[in-house]
Amino acid sequence: MKKLFISLAMVFGLTSSAFAQTEFGVFNHVSAGVGVGILTGGTIELAAPITKYVAVRAGYNFIPNLKLKTDLELPLDEVPKGYTLNVPDEVEVEGKLSMSTGHLLFDIYPFGTGLHLTAGAYFGSEKLVSVYNTQDGILQDVYDYNHRRGNYAPVPDSYGMIGLELGDYLVEPDQDGNAEASIKVNSFRPYLGIGFGRAVPAKHRLAVTFDMGVQFWGSPGVYVQDKKLDKSDIEGDGGDALKTLSKITVCPVLSLKLVGRIF
């Protein structure tokens, strides 16, 4: 029994020493991590070293799609007398926020310690916010009226188009009777940041890492039926809102993760 304890102690000592002297080579170790972040949500991630001074990380950041329903008005009082549109005065719409992303990042350890610089990119849906009618095809009569089709062919051109009133925006339906407005950014978003801790722990199986930086997501644009609006399309406060929105070109990132070396 004594010999067994001595043998186990020797094995434990050798193993601990190996952990403490982990050498980083090209993908010779792999770690997994889970964490949370501001504007990135929950994160799952795999990482591997390339050298002692560089590591690569790939992961997915999940934020549940937030949805909100409301009613938007249709300006039916602008329809000339004698014409009836088979649509309600108010149409239920749903707004959805989509923020989930994937990422591929490279950590650079200039001093060989846990302090690192990070460069890479996040990938996600180009539509950050979408607003659309919940009942499919409910605005078919509005499209026919706007395009002077069927029973609405005689409507004089002096009468303008109608659509859902979303603030200062007029959201016109498509030929299927559906309307959508969205805010879009780049689906490919370069990232630069700084952090503390190694994505692949060197001395222990488990470690905690912290990262902060920014995603560069380009100038957000407001789209109606995939047509980008500019300042000339909007009057009043809407133009000021679009001008302000177009200046928000970066998204801050703060994240905290627990990482564990698999081998």
Side-chain angles (χ1 to χ4, degrees):
M1 182 65 69
K2 183 177 180 181
K3 291 182 178 180
L4 177 61
F5 284 142
I6 294 174
S7 299
L8 290 175
M10 291 176 64
V11 170
F12 179 78
L14 290 173
T15 303
S16 300
S17 177
F19 287 169
Q21 299 174 14
T22 297
E23 293 294 332
F24 292 118
V26 180
F27 299 107
N28 65 337
H29 297 288
V30 172
S31 71
V34 294
V36 293
I38 296 176
L39 299 182
T40 54
T43 297
I44 55 175
E45 187 176 76
L46 291 176
I50 299 177
T51 70
K52 177 181 179 181
Y53 299 98
V54 182
V56 60
R57 295 187 274 140
Y60 180 70
N61 314 286
F62 177 73
I63 297 180
N65 290 335
L66 303 177
K67 297 181 179 180
L68 177 66
K69 292 183 179 181
T70 189
D71 293 326
L72 295 182
E73 294 183 353
L74 277 170
L76 297 182
D77 55 339
E78 298 179 11
V79 176
K81 294 181 179 180
Y83 294 91
T84 302
L85 275 65
N86 187 27
V87 292
D89 294 338
E90 294 186 343
V91 175
E92 184 182 65
V93 299
E94 184 174 74
K96 181 174 69 174
L97 176 65
S98 302
M99 290 284 288
S100 295
T101 56
H103 65 256
L104 179 64
L105 305 173
F106 294 88
D107 292 331
I108 301 171
Y109 304 90
F111 308 111
T113 63
L115 176 67
H116 59 268
L117 305 175
T118 303
Y122 281 74
F123 313 86
S125 171
E126 64 178 6
K127 292 183 179 180
L128 280 184
V129 179
S130 299
V131 179
Y132 46 85
N133 52 282
T134 57
Q135 185 175 341
D136 186 51
I138 192 174
L139 300 171
Q140 187 64 63
D141 265 21
V142 175
Y143 178 85
D144 291 343
Y145 171 85
N146 286 342
H147 293 268
R148 310 309 192 237
R149 302 195 321 175
N151 297 330
Y152 309 106
V155 176
D157 291 338
S158 57
Y159 287 89
M161 293 186 176
I162 63 172
L164 297 175
E165 295 182 335
L166 180 60
D168 291 332
Y169 304 99
L170 184 68
V171 184
E172 301 171 21
D174 60 18
Q175 61 184 359
D176 297 320
N178 298 311
E180 181 184 16
S182 59
I183 297 176
K184 295 183 181 181
V185 298
N186 294 338
S187 57
F188 175 81
R189 306 162 194 170
Y191 173 87
L192 290 176
I194 188 172
F196 305 93
R198 281 189 173 272
V200 181
K203 296 182 179 180
H204 306 282
R205 283 288 187 181
L206 296 176
V208 175
T209 66
F210 173 76
D211 285 273
M212 57 184 176
V214 290
Q215 298 176 29
F216 297 89
W217 60 7
S219 297
V222 179
Y223 290 76
V224 171
Q225 307 296 61
D226 291 326
K227 174 191 174 184
K228 186 176 182 179
L229 301 184
D230 55 36
K231 288 179 288 186
S232 65
D233 294 316
I234 313 165
E235 297 179 355
D237 294 336
D240 294 336
L242 179 57
K243 186 184 298 184
T244 301
L245 182 63
S246 66
K247 295 179 181 178
I248 304 175
T249 60
V250 298
C251 175
V253 173
L254 291 173
S255 65
L256 187 68
K257 289 188 294 292
L258 175 66
V259 297
R261 180 155 45 86
I262 300 174
F263 65 84

